Amino acid sequence: MASKVRLYVDHPLGEGQSVPLSREQAHYLFGVMRLTEGTVLSLINGVDGEWDAEIVKAGKKGGILLCTNQTRPLQMPPDLWLLFAPIRKERTAFIVEKAVEMGVSRVCPVQTDFTQSANRIRQDKLQAHAVEAAEQCGGTFVPPVDDLAKLDRLLADWPSGRQLMFCDEILIGDPVGLPQIAGPWAILIGPEGGFSQAERDRLRALPFAHPVSLGPRILRADTAAVAALTVWQQALGDWA
Ligand code: SAM
């Protein structure tokens, strides 16, 4: 049996709740996926868990779905932020997509000293990538993707009690592992050019920042993001 189409809607979900469809959603469901009235699909909205919903009205410019029953409650990922310096556009989108699949509560693109100015981000497009990743991976939560923020600003306003896994490329060959500290965390991945010495000195002086090695080779930033998420999830996250 073909798996049910999963769709993110920005609308409350609940028993008997009818959900109006936008033109784009109607085109996708009825034009591209060729679904018809009576078909049941899965809805998520990032808040109310996953719901079965029946197509009660299908049209070219819109339609209506009717929620019938909740199939999964909201399942929050661990309280883990991913801070990363944007790299080339499609690779930045890849980082956001993997972060959602692997489980983060927030995605924070950060401007560091060596972040290439050409690496601009479109927050709305990255947020759409996060929604698509949640639809695809069976998630019920969609982490917010922030606008680009200066690393110094984020560090200056750092919330107490949150640890920082500082992935420092200078540690290659020096197997510095992740401290086993429970509670809220963040991961920091630098840009193609790595971290400046001033950034490294500043980070290493912070009591909540823990320099960690990701092995004996230099990883590309997108590889490093996946590697760091794997290390953290396996040690402190919801994979075990
Ligand atoms: N240009 C830097 C160099 O050649 O040393 C490499 C930067 S690397 C492409 C991008 C980011 O990935 C780094 O800033 C760091 O956050 C992370 N990274 C890559 N390899 C790593 C490693 N072996 N250990 C820790 N972090 C690593």
Side-chain angles (χ1 to χ4, degrees):
M1 181 179 150
S3 64
K4 258 183 268 176
V5 167
R6 255 176 135 251
L7 184 71
Y8 174 91
V9 290
D10 185 8
H11 195 282
L13 299 175
E15 191 155 356
Q17 173 74 54
S18 68
V19 178
L21 293 172
S22 66
R23 191 190 188 99
E24 295 74 22
Q25 289 168 326
H27 172 66
Y28 169 67
L29 293 178
F30 313 134
V32 175
M33 301 305 290
R34 321 293 287 168
L35 301 185
T36 56
E37 288 175 6
T39 306
V40 174
L41 60 151
S42 261
L43 298 185
I44 57 171
N45 64 0
V47 177
D48 297 318
E50 179 190 80
W51 283 78
D52 270 355
E54 184 182 334
I55 299 173
V56 293
K57 188 170 178 306
K60 273 200 181 313
K61 295 186 183 131
I64 296 177
L65 306 177
L66 183 66
C67 292
T68 52
N69 58 291
Q70 188 186 53
T71 45
R72 297 203 2 241
L74 176 67
Q75 284 155 328
M76 290 298 290
D79 188 357
L80 171 66
W81 297 353
L82 175 66
L83 279 63
F84 72 96
I87 48 178
R88 286 214 327 273
K89 195 168 60 171
E90 63 285 358
R91 287 186 172 275
T92 293
F94 173 88
I95 291 175
V96 171
E97 190 179 83
K98 299 312 139 194
V100 174
E101 291 172 55
M102 299 176 80
V104 298
S105 57
R106 186 178 169 199
V107 179
C108 315
V110 291
Q111 173 87 31
T112 65
D113 288 350
F114 294 158
T115 302
Q116 291 179 30
S117 53
N119 293 339
R120 294 254 165 273
I121 67 157
R122 279 278 307 272
Q123 183 277 336
D124 57 337
K125 289 198 181 295
L126 292 181
Q127 190 65 70
H129 280 294
V131 165
E132 276 170 39
E135 287 173 336
Q136 173 277 327
C137 74
T140 54
F141 173 76
V142 181
V145 179
D146 294 351
D147 252 323
L148 187 65
K150 286 198 177 308
L151 176 59
D152 281 352
R153 174 91 263 117
L154 271 176
L155 295 175
D157 302 337
W158 198 257
S160 69
R162 185 174 294 274
Q163 306 303 316
L164 176 61
M165 177 182 180
F166 166 32
C167 298
D168 187 353
E169 67 274 7
I170 208 159
L171 287 174
I172 60 168
D174 178 0
V176 179
L178 180 68
Q180 301 301 298
I181 304 170
W185 273 82
I187 292 173
L188 173 61
I189 303 288
E192 296 96 332
F195 290 101
S196 68
Q197 195 51 48
E199 279 169 342
R200 182 168 288 110
D201 294 345
R202 167 146 195 214
L203 282 156
R204 284 174 175 269
L206 298 170
F208 57 79
H210 309 278
V212 171
S213 170
L214 295 177
R217 287 167 291 279
I218 289 288
L219 308 177
R220 294 180 76 121
D222 41 349
T223 314
V226 173
L229 284 162
T230 304
V231 166
W232 190 90
Q233 278 288 16
Q234 192 60 42
L236 297 169
D238 60 4
W239 286 11

